[in-house]
Structure formats: structure tokens, C-alpha cells
């Protein structure tokens, strides 16, 4: 049985958490393969809203195993708080959550390095979530990181102190104002104390060789869904570099992030919003700076799930979406938040990038850093709310023709349409409907 993958096709926050939760009943195992607590995946069901950061979005389904893969980075403190919140909501993560021993640890000082590096960038700052993601992956590839498996061996504290010492040298080289050096509103020593207590708190979650577990489960015929974080346009290789995250967010990242062969990747669910958002800095060709952008932000509640920051909003960017479909080998398109477009007289999508006299239809090496005028195509809106629709037939005609047109442009029909944040507000289409 091959592993299916679910990931974001834009700049994150596409609704991956919701769709993973919706698809979980069809799987035995849900596994996160990259990223860390920079992610915020929102689930809504039974009148409850829950945001997950490090833990896979299948966790509320008892009996389904959730795995934090080796490609993920973990902050013990944030992770412990996540576990606590899950327990308050009746979940029993000690029964259905496993962690790869190889997952790297985000140390308190990684977070401080993130803070001082971002501050030093001034206007060209990335807009990082400041969770220590970049510095942790840097240490991983620099070969001096600490892994969660290390916590089980004697000498962990010594290794920690040695790495902290190196980190302090880096931090001091920025000559930071001491008031900057706060983590979750705590000075380093206090946060560090909580971090070590958290290592104790999380010790009832089993650490495993997850690559062995995943491959064995596959051989036994178990169905596995790999859940991505961030989005393709934030990928460290193919995103809008340097305004990206530090991991491989595309389907290729599943192989190294879980330890599986490319032969074993099955379906790839590509999740995208019917418009576009981005948090933090970096290019965004179809961004709207007017009241239409404000309207999308307000109706779509476009405020970060992790940081609460307002998300930048704009029209769907088709060239970028096509690029993402290509990079990931998407087999199933999942279109989210169409309800946010309810009531728009007309709406648009970007179909090309006009740079001078030239029109490009893909984001090349330097394309998005240039002065771009997006080429827009307009579509008529619909006037009936779609949040209560449960089938393709119930959807307004204009939404159906937009969906069909988009499928044709992407050379892949849309397979799932989400009409609201709730688990139940999801229409799984038979792709033959769209022909
Ligand atoms: P993720 O990071 O990809 O899991 O996405 P986030 O959870 O950060 O952001 C998606 C937001 O949109 C969350 O607040 C969801 O509850 C919400 N959401 C998901 N699907 C829909 C939808 O179809 N319609 C609306 N209105 N909201 C949705
Ligand atoms: P989910 O999984 C949206 C963005 C940050 C910043 C850049 C680098 O919820 O979709 P980092 O903290 O990785 O150093 O930030 O990436 N970013 C996200 N934007 N959704 C996310 O995750 C993101 N994770 C990171 O805003 O621009
Ligand atoms: Mg999110």
C-alpha cells in the first residue's frame, strides 16, 4: 500500500489541517513529515475549534495512529502545551501518538537566534514565526543539532550546554538589546526551565524509529497519509527564496521526512484556497491592497493561526498554482474557502505575470522579485451562500463553471470543494461530475 500525501500549494494556511481531519477515517496512520510549530492547523467539529502545531491532524480520531516524522522539528515547551490542550479536550495522545527519535529539537537558544537574525534584516526581514525553525534546520544540516532521541541518553544535558554555548556566541555577535531576548514573554533562564520540565512531561509519548514503523506498516497493508506543513511557495528550494521556510514542503520532502522510497508515494492531495494569502514578507503578485483585499481578510478570517498576524490577501495566482501542481505531482486538487467569495459581484484570478512587454506564465528564478503587473481573468460571482451546500448539484452555477474552468486550466479536475471551516462542510466530488 503506497503512502498518500496532503500538502499546501500556496503560501501555507490553505486548510490542510481541516482536510487531513476529514480524510483521516480512510487511513490508519497520519504522519507529519516536515516543519514544526511554525505551522498552525485548524480543525473544527462538534462546535469545537482546535489549532495543532506539531501534532498531526488525525489526533482526534481514537484508534488512528499519528506519527511525528524525522523531518519535523520539535520545541519541547510548545509540544507539551499542545499535549496538555489535547488532553483537556479528551484526546489521549499517549495512546495514538508516536515520535521519530530522529526529529530535531528546537532549543530555547534557537529561538533567540531567530529573533536576533530577523531583527538584523531590518526591512527585508522574512516575517518568520520566530519559533526557531531556521536555526534548528541550520544546525541539523550543519551536523551539530540535538535530536529528541538524545533526551533518552546520559550526557544529554552536557550536549545541550555545549550547543547553547555556541548559540550564545552567535547571539552575542549581534550585540542585541537585552530586552529583545525574551521567549514567550520569558527570559531565557525561565523558558529553559520550562523547556526541561516539558521534556519530562512529554516523556510518556513513545519515541520510535519511525522509518521502520512506517515501512513495516506499509508492508502490512496499512493506509498512511503524510500531512505537510507550510506550502509549496514556502519550500526552501522552490519557494520565493529567501522568503521561505527552511524545510522541503513539497511531495519530495515526504521521502526524506519519513524515510520512504519515491516508489511508495501514491496520491498527492494538493490543497489551495480559491484566492491567495501570505503571512510575512516576500513577493505576492496578485496581492490586493484595497478594500477587496480587506474584504477577503474579513470574510475569510485571515489572521494567522500561530501568530495572530493579519494575512496579506489577493486573488488566486494560477501560474504559481500550476507550478505547485507540477512540483508535487498532484493527483487530487482540493479547493478551499469558496464560501469566502459568496456575494462578490465578480472576482478574478491571476493568469500571467506582465513584466515590461513580456507575459510569463510561471514563476522563474527571479520573476517574482520584479515589478509585476498581474494579468487578470474575471469571473461572475454567485449570490447564494454556499456554506450549506452538500453536493456539486447544489452549488451555484457560476461556482460550478469556475471550478470546471479552473480544472481545465490546471489540466486536473478539482476533486474536493470546501464550503466552510467545519469538518462537515466538505464536498467530495466524483471527478466525472466535472467533465
Ligand atoms: P492550514 O495551516 O493549512 O491547516 O490552515 P489554517 O488552519 O492555518 O487556516 C485555514 C483557516 O481557514 C482556518 O481558520 C480554518 O478553520 C478555515 N477554513 C478551512 N476551510 C475553510 C472553508 O472552506 N471556508 C472557510 N470560511 N474557512 C475555512
Ligand atoms: P501552516 O502549516 C503560513 C511563513 C512565515 C514566514 C516564513 C518563514 O500553518 O500552513 P518560519 O517560521 O518558518 O521561519 O517562517 O514562512 N510560515 C507560514 N505561513 N502558514 C504556515 O504554516 C507557515 N509557517 C511558516 O510567516 O513568512
Ligand atoms: Mg496554518
Amino acid at each position: 500500500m503506497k503512502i498518500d500525501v496532503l500538502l499546501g500549494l500556496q503560501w501555507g494556511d490553505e486548510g490542510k489541517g481541516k482536510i487531513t481531519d476529514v480524510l483521516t477515517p480512510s487511513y490508519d496512520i497520519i504522519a507529519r513529515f516536515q516543519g514544526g510549530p511554525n505551522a498552525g492547523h485548524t480543525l473544527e467539529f462538534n462546535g469545537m475549534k482546535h489549532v495543532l502545531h506539531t501534532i498531526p491532524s488525525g489526533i482526534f480520531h481514537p484508534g488512528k495512529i499519528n506519527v511525528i516524522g524525522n523531518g519535523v522539528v520539535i520545541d519541547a515547551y510548545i509540544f507539551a502545551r499542545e499535549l496538555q490542550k489535547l488532553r483537556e479536550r479528551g484526546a489521549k495522545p499517549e495512546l495514538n501518538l508516536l515520535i521519530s527519535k530522529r526529529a530535531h529539537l528546537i532549543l530555547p537558544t534557537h529561538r533567540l537566534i531567530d529573533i536576533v537574525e530577523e531583527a538584523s534584516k531590518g526591512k527585508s526581514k522574512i516575517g518568520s514565526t520566530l519559533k526557531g525553525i531556521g536555526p534548528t534546520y541550520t544546525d541539523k544540516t550543519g551536523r551539530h543539532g540535538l535530536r529528541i532521541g538524545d533526551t533518552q541518553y546520559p550526557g544529554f544535558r552536557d550536549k545541550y550546554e555545549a550547543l547553547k554555548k555556541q548559540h550564545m556566541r552567535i547571539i552575542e555577535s549581534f550585540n542585541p538589546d537585552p530586552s529583545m531576548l525574551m521567549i514567550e514573554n520569558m527570559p531565557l533562564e525561565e523558558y529553559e526551565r520550562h523547556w526541561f520540565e516539558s521534556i519530562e512531561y512529554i516523556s510518556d509519548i513513545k519515541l520510535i524509529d519511525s522509518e521502520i514503523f512506517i515501512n513495516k506498516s506499509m508492508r502490512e497493508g496499512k493506509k498512511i497519509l503524510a500531512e505537510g506543513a507550510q506550502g509549496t511557495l514556502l519550500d526552501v528550494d522552490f519557494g520565493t527564496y529567501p522568503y521561505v521556510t527552511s524545510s522541503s514542503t513539497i511531495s519530495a520532502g515526504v521521502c526524506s521526512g519519513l524515510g520512504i522510497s519515491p516508489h511508495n508515494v501514491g496520491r498527492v492531495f494538493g490543497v489551495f484556497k480559491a484566492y491567495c494569502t501570505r503571512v510575512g514578507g516576500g513577493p505576492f503578485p496578485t496581492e490586493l491592497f484595497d478594500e477587496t483585499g480587506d474584504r477577503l481578510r474579513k470574510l475569510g478570517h485571515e489572521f494567522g493561526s500561530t501568530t495572530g498576524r493579519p494575512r496579506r490577501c489577493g486573488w488566486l495566482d494560477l501560474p504559481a498554482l500550476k507550478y505547485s501542481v507540477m512540483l508535487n505531482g498532484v493527483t487530487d486538487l482540493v479547493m478551499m474557502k469558496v464560501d469566502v467569495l459568496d456575494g462578490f459581484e465578480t472576482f478574478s484570478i491571476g493568469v500571467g505575470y506582465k513584466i515590461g512587454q513580456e507575459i510569463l506564465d510561471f514563476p522563474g528564478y527571479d520573476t517574482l522579485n520584479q515589478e509585476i503587473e498581474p494579468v487578470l481573468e474575471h469571473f461572475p460571482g454567485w449570490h447564494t451562500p454556499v456554506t450549506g451546500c452538500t453536493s456539486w448539484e447544489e452549488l451555484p452555477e457560476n461556482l460550478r463553471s469556475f471550478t470546471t474552468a479552473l480544472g481545465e486550466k490546471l489540466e486536473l479536475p478539482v476533486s474536493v470543494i470546501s464550503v466552510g471551516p467545519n469538518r462537515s462542510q466538505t464536498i467530495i466530488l466524483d471527478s466525472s461530475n466535472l467533465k
Side-chain angles (χ1 to χ4, degrees), residues 152-188:
Q152 296 184 319
Y153 288 84
F156 173 66
R157 186 79 198 212
D158 292 344
K159 280 188 181 171
Y160 172 91
E161 293 298 339
L163 187 54
K164 178 183 167 190
K165 211 162 151 190
Q166 281 184 32
H167 287 169
M168 291 314 290
R169 278 201 292 271
I170 297 172
I171 294 160
E172 280 153 19
S173 74
F174 285 85
N175 204 12
D177 185 314
S179 66
M180 281 169 64
L181 303 181
M182 299 287 282
I183 317 169
E184 310 269 342
N185 296 320
M186 290 178 248
L188 176 61

Short mmCIF file of all heavy atoms in Angstrom, two decimals, residues 152-188:
data_model
loop_
_atom_site.label_atom_id
_atom_site.label_comp_id
_atom_site.label_asym_id
_atom_site.label_seq_id
_atom_site.Cartn_x
_atom_site.Cartn_y
_atom_site.Cartn_z
N GLN A 152 17.05 10.57 25.73
CA GLN A 152 16.97 9.29 26.48
C GLN A 152 18.35 8.77 26.86
O GLN A 152 18.46 7.70 27.44
CB GLN A 152 16.27 8.24 25.61
CG GLN A 152 14.82 8.60 25.32
CD GLN A 152 14.12 7.51 24.55
OE1 GLN A 152 14.69 6.92 23.64
NE2 GLN A 152 12.88 7.24 24.89
N TYR A 153 19.38 9.49 26.49
CA TYR A 153 20.74 9.01 26.75
C TYR A 153 21.43 9.87 27.80
O TYR A 153 21.17 11.09 27.88
CB TYR A 153 21.56 9.02 25.45
CG TYR A 153 21.12 7.94 24.50
CD1 TYR A 153 20.03 8.15 23.65
CD2 TYR A 153 21.76 6.71 24.47
CE1 TYR A 153 19.61 7.15 22.79
CE2 TYR A 153 21.34 5.70 23.62
CZ TYR A 153 20.26 5.93 22.77
OH TYR A 153 19.84 4.94 21.94
N PRO A 154 22.33 9.26 28.58
CA PRO A 154 23.10 10.08 29.53
C PRO A 154 23.93 11.09 28.75
O PRO A 154 24.30 10.84 27.60
CB PRO A 154 24.01 9.07 30.24
CG PRO A 154 23.82 7.75 29.58
CD PRO A 154 22.69 7.85 28.61
N GLY A 155 24.19 12.19 29.35
CA GLY A 155 25.03 13.19 28.67
C GLY A 155 24.22 14.19 27.87
O GLY A 155 24.78 15.08 27.22
N PHE A 156 22.88 14.06 27.90
CA PHE A 156 22.06 14.99 27.12
C PHE A 156 22.28 16.42 27.58
O PHE A 156 22.46 17.33 26.78
CB PHE A 156 20.57 14.61 27.22
CG PHE A 156 19.66 15.63 26.58
CD1 PHE A 156 19.70 15.85 25.22
CD2 PHE A 156 18.77 16.39 27.35
CE1 PHE A 156 18.88 16.81 24.61
CE2 PHE A 156 17.96 17.35 26.76
CZ PHE A 156 18.01 17.55 25.40
N ARG A 157 22.29 16.59 28.90
CA ARG A 157 22.43 17.95 29.43
C ARG A 157 23.78 18.57 29.00
O ARG A 157 23.85 19.75 28.67
CB ARG A 157 22.30 17.93 30.97
CG ARG A 157 22.29 19.29 31.61
CD ARG A 157 20.91 19.94 31.49
NE ARG A 157 20.98 21.37 31.71
CZ ARG A 157 20.01 22.09 32.25
NH1 ARG A 157 18.87 21.53 32.61
NH2 ARG A 157 20.13 23.38 32.41
N ASP A 158 24.80 17.75 28.99
CA ASP A 158 26.13 18.26 28.57
C ASP A 158 26.10 18.69 27.12
O ASP A 158 26.63 19.74 26.75
CB ASP A 158 27.21 17.18 28.76
CG ASP A 158 27.45 16.89 30.24
OD1 ASP A 158 27.02 17.73 31.08
OD2 ASP A 158 28.04 15.85 30.55
N LYS A 159 25.49 17.84 26.28
CA LYS A 159 25.39 18.18 24.86
C LYS A 159 24.61 19.48 24.68
O LYS A 159 24.95 20.33 23.86
CB LYS A 159 24.65 17.08 24.09
CG LYS A 159 25.47 15.88 23.74
CD LYS A 159 24.65 15.01 22.82
CE LYS A 159 25.40 13.75 22.43
NZ LYS A 159 24.55 12.80 21.73
N TYR A 160 23.53 19.58 25.49
CA TYR A 160 22.70 20.79 25.43
C TYR A 160 23.54 22.02 25.77
O TYR A 160 23.50 23.03 25.06
CB TYR A 160 21.52 20.63 26.40
CG TYR A 160 20.71 21.90 26.56
CD1 TYR A 160 19.61 22.15 25.74
CD2 TYR A 160 21.07 22.86 27.51
CE1 TYR A 160 18.90 23.33 25.85
CE2 TYR A 160 20.36 24.05 27.63
CZ TYR A 160 19.27 24.27 26.80
OH TYR A 160 18.56 25.44 26.92
N GLU A 161 24.29 21.93 26.87
CA GLU A 161 25.06 23.09 27.33
C GLU A 161 26.12 23.48 26.29
O GLU A 161 26.36 24.66 26.07
CB GLU A 161 25.73 22.79 28.69
CG GLU A 161 24.75 22.62 29.85
CD GLU A 161 23.92 23.87 30.17
OE1 GLU A 161 24.31 24.98 29.79
OE2 GLU A 161 22.84 23.70 30.80
N ALA A 162 26.73 22.46 25.66
CA ALA A 162 27.77 22.76 24.66
C ALA A 162 27.16 23.51 23.47
O ALA A 162 27.73 24.50 22.99
CB ALA A 162 28.41 21.46 24.19
N LEU A 163 25.99 23.06 23.03
CA LEU A 163 25.35 23.73 21.88
C LEU A 163 24.86 25.12 22.27
O LEU A 163 25.01 26.09 21.51
CB LEU A 163 24.19 22.86 21.34
CG LEU A 163 23.54 23.32 20.04
CD1 LEU A 163 24.58 23.52 18.93
CD2 LEU A 163 22.49 22.30 19.57
N LYS A 164 24.34 25.20 23.49
CA LYS A 164 23.88 26.51 23.97
C LYS A 164 25.04 27.52 23.97
O LYS A 164 24.87 28.68 23.59
CB LYS A 164 23.31 26.35 25.39
CG LYS A 164 22.85 27.66 25.99
CD LYS A 164 22.35 27.49 27.42
CE LYS A 164 22.21 28.82 28.11
NZ LYS A 164 21.95 28.69 29.54
N LYS A 165 26.20 27.05 24.38
CA LYS A 165 27.38 27.92 24.43
C LYS A 165 27.70 28.48 23.04
O LYS A 165 27.93 29.67 22.87
CB LYS A 165 28.57 27.11 24.97
CG LYS A 165 29.56 27.91 25.76
CD LYS A 165 30.39 26.95 26.57
CE LYS A 165 31.78 27.51 26.81
NZ LYS A 165 32.67 26.52 27.37
N GLN A 166 27.66 27.58 22.07
CA GLN A 166 27.89 28.03 20.67
C GLN A 166 26.83 29.06 20.27
O GLN A 166 27.12 30.06 19.62
CB GLN A 166 27.73 26.86 19.71
CG GLN A 166 28.89 25.93 19.60
CD GLN A 166 28.62 24.87 18.52
OE1 GLN A 166 27.95 25.11 17.53
NE2 GLN A 166 29.15 23.68 18.73
N HIS A 167 25.59 28.75 20.64
CA HIS A 167 24.48 29.65 20.27
C HIS A 167 24.66 31.02 20.91
O HIS A 167 24.39 32.04 20.28
CB HIS A 167 23.14 29.06 20.72
CG HIS A 167 22.70 27.91 19.88
ND1 HIS A 167 21.65 27.10 20.22
CD2 HIS A 167 23.17 27.42 18.71
CE1 HIS A 167 21.48 26.16 19.31
NE2 HIS A 167 22.39 26.34 18.37
N MET A 168 25.11 31.03 22.17
CA MET A 168 25.26 32.31 22.87
C MET A 168 26.29 33.19 22.16
O MET A 168 26.14 34.40 22.08
CB MET A 168 25.64 32.10 24.34
CG MET A 168 24.54 31.50 25.21
SD MET A 168 22.88 32.21 25.04
CE MET A 168 23.10 33.80 25.77
N ARG A 169 27.31 32.53 21.62
CA ARG A 169 28.33 33.30 20.89
C ARG A 169 27.70 33.95 19.65
O ARG A 169 27.98 35.10 19.33
CB ARG A 169 29.51 32.39 20.48
CG ARG A 169 30.51 32.20 21.62
CD ARG A 169 31.87 31.76 21.09
NE ARG A 169 31.81 30.39 20.54
CZ ARG A 169 32.03 29.28 21.25
NH1 ARG A 169 32.30 29.37 22.54
NH2 ARG A 169 31.97 28.10 20.69
N ILE A 170 26.86 33.19 18.98
CA ILE A 170 26.19 33.74 17.78
C ILE A 170 25.30 34.91 18.20
O ILE A 170 25.32 35.99 17.60
CB ILE A 170 25.32 32.65 17.08
CG1 ILE A 170 26.19 31.52 16.59
CG2 ILE A 170 24.49 33.26 15.93
CD1 ILE A 170 25.44 30.31 16.05
N ILE A 171 24.53 34.68 19.25
CA ILE A 171 23.57 35.72 19.70
C ILE A 171 24.32 36.99 20.08
O ILE A 171 23.96 38.10 19.65
CB ILE A 171 22.71 35.18 20.88
CG1 ILE A 171 21.81 34.04 20.39
CG2 ILE A 171 21.85 36.30 21.49
CD1 ILE A 171 21.30 33.12 21.48
N GLU A 172 25.39 36.81 20.84
CA GLU A 172 26.16 38.00 21.29
C GLU A 172 26.78 38.75 20.12
O GLU A 172 26.93 39.97 20.17
CB GLU A 172 27.23 37.57 22.30
CG GLU A 172 26.64 37.38 23.70
CD GLU A 172 27.42 36.38 24.54
OE1 GLU A 172 28.59 36.10 24.22
OE2 GLU A 172 26.83 35.84 25.51
N SER A 173 27.11 38.03 19.05
CA SER A 173 27.73 38.70 17.90
C SER A 173 26.79 39.71 17.26
O SER A 173 27.21 40.58 16.51
CB SER A 173 28.20 37.67 16.87
OG SER A 173 27.09 37.15 16.19
N PHE A 174 25.50 39.59 17.55
CA PHE A 174 24.53 40.57 17.02
C PHE A 174 24.39 41.78 17.96
O PHE A 174 23.67 42.71 17.66
CB PHE A 174 23.15 39.91 16.84
CG PHE A 174 23.08 39.00 15.63
CD1 PHE A 174 23.50 37.68 15.71
CD2 PHE A 174 22.61 39.48 14.41
CE1 PHE A 174 23.44 36.85 14.60
CE2 PHE A 174 22.55 38.66 13.30
CZ PHE A 174 22.97 37.34 13.39
N ASN A 175 25.05 41.69 19.09
CA ASN A 175 25.02 42.77 20.07
C ASN A 175 23.57 43.22 20.37
O ASN A 175 23.22 44.39 20.24
CB ASN A 175 25.84 43.94 19.51
CG ASN A 175 26.34 44.82 20.63
OD1 ASN A 175 26.25 44.43 21.80
ND2 ASN A 175 26.81 46.00 20.28
N PRO A 176 22.74 42.28 20.76
CA PRO A 176 21.31 42.60 20.88
C PRO A 176 20.98 43.42 22.13
O PRO A 176 21.68 43.30 23.15
CB PRO A 176 20.66 41.23 20.98
CG PRO A 176 21.71 40.35 21.60
CD PRO A 176 23.03 40.89 21.15
N ASP A 177 19.94 44.19 22.03
CA ASP A 177 19.39 44.85 23.20
C ASP A 177 18.81 43.75 24.10
O ASP A 177 18.01 42.93 23.63
CB ASP A 177 18.28 45.80 22.71
CG ASP A 177 17.72 46.62 23.84
OD1 ASP A 177 17.42 46.05 24.93
OD2 ASP A 177 17.55 47.81 23.62
N PRO A 178 19.19 43.69 25.38
CA PRO A 178 18.73 42.59 26.24
C PRO A 178 17.20 42.44 26.25
O PRO A 178 16.70 41.32 26.43
CB PRO A 178 19.26 42.96 27.61
CG PRO A 178 20.39 43.92 27.36
CD PRO A 178 20.10 44.62 26.07
N SER A 179 16.48 43.53 26.04
CA SER A 179 15.01 43.43 26.09
C SER A 179 14.46 42.58 24.95
O SER A 179 13.33 42.10 25.00
CB SER A 179 14.39 44.83 26.04
OG SER A 179 14.67 45.40 24.78
N MET A 180 15.27 42.37 23.89
CA MET A 180 14.80 41.54 22.76
C MET A 180 14.81 40.06 23.10
O MET A 180 14.12 39.25 22.48
CB MET A 180 15.79 41.69 21.58
CG MET A 180 15.66 42.91 20.76
SD MET A 180 17.11 43.00 19.69
CE MET A 180 16.89 41.55 18.67
N LEU A 181 15.65 39.71 24.09
CA LEU A 181 15.92 38.29 24.29
C LEU A 181 14.89 37.63 25.20
O LEU A 181 15.21 37.09 26.26
CB LEU A 181 17.35 38.12 24.84
CG LEU A 181 18.45 38.72 23.96
CD1 LEU A 181 19.82 38.48 24.56
CD2 LEU A 181 18.38 38.16 22.55
N MET A 182 13.65 37.68 24.77
CA MET A 182 12.56 37.08 25.53
C MET A 182 11.91 36.00 24.67
O MET A 182 11.74 36.18 23.47
CB MET A 182 11.50 38.14 25.87
CG MET A 182 12.03 39.29 26.71
SD MET A 182 12.35 38.80 28.41
CE MET A 182 10.68 38.82 29.05
N ILE A 183 11.55 34.89 25.32
CA ILE A 183 10.86 33.82 24.59
C ILE A 183 9.53 33.57 25.28
O ILE A 183 9.51 33.29 26.48
CB ILE A 183 11.68 32.50 24.60
CG1 ILE A 183 13.16 32.79 24.33
CG2 ILE A 183 11.13 31.53 23.57
CD1 ILE A 183 14.06 31.60 24.59
N GLU A 184 8.44 33.67 24.52
CA GLU A 184 7.09 33.53 25.11
C GLU A 184 7.00 34.42 26.36
O GLU A 184 6.52 33.98 27.41
CB GLU A 184 6.78 32.07 25.48
CG GLU A 184 7.05 31.06 24.39
CD GLU A 184 5.85 30.78 23.50
OE1 GLU A 184 4.74 31.08 23.90
OE2 GLU A 184 6.09 30.30 22.37
N ASN A 185 7.49 35.64 26.24
CA ASN A 185 7.49 36.61 27.33
C ASN A 185 8.32 36.21 28.55
O ASN A 185 8.10 36.70 29.65
CB ASN A 185 6.05 36.91 27.81
CG ASN A 185 5.26 37.57 26.72
OD1 ASN A 185 5.80 38.43 26.01
ND2 ASN A 185 4.01 37.16 26.54
N MET A 186 9.24 35.30 28.35
CA MET A 186 10.08 34.87 29.49
C MET A 186 11.55 35.11 29.14
O MET A 186 11.94 34.92 27.98
CB MET A 186 9.91 33.37 29.75
CG MET A 186 8.59 32.98 30.31
SD MET A 186 8.56 31.17 30.48
CE MET A 186 7.35 30.74 29.25
N PRO A 187 12.37 35.46 30.13
CA PRO A 187 13.81 35.49 29.87
C PRO A 187 14.31 34.06 29.65
O PRO A 187 13.66 33.09 30.07
CB PRO A 187 14.40 36.11 31.15
CG PRO A 187 13.34 36.01 32.18
CD PRO A 187 12.02 35.85 31.50
N LEU A 188 15.47 33.95 29.02
CA LEU A 188 16.00 32.63 28.63
C LEU A 188 15.97 31.61 29.77
O LEU A 188 15.48 30.49 29.58
CB LEU A 188 17.42 32.80 28.07
CG LEU A 188 18.14 31.49 27.73
CD1 LEU A 188 17.40 30.72 26.65
CD2 LEU A 188 19.58 31.77 27.29
#
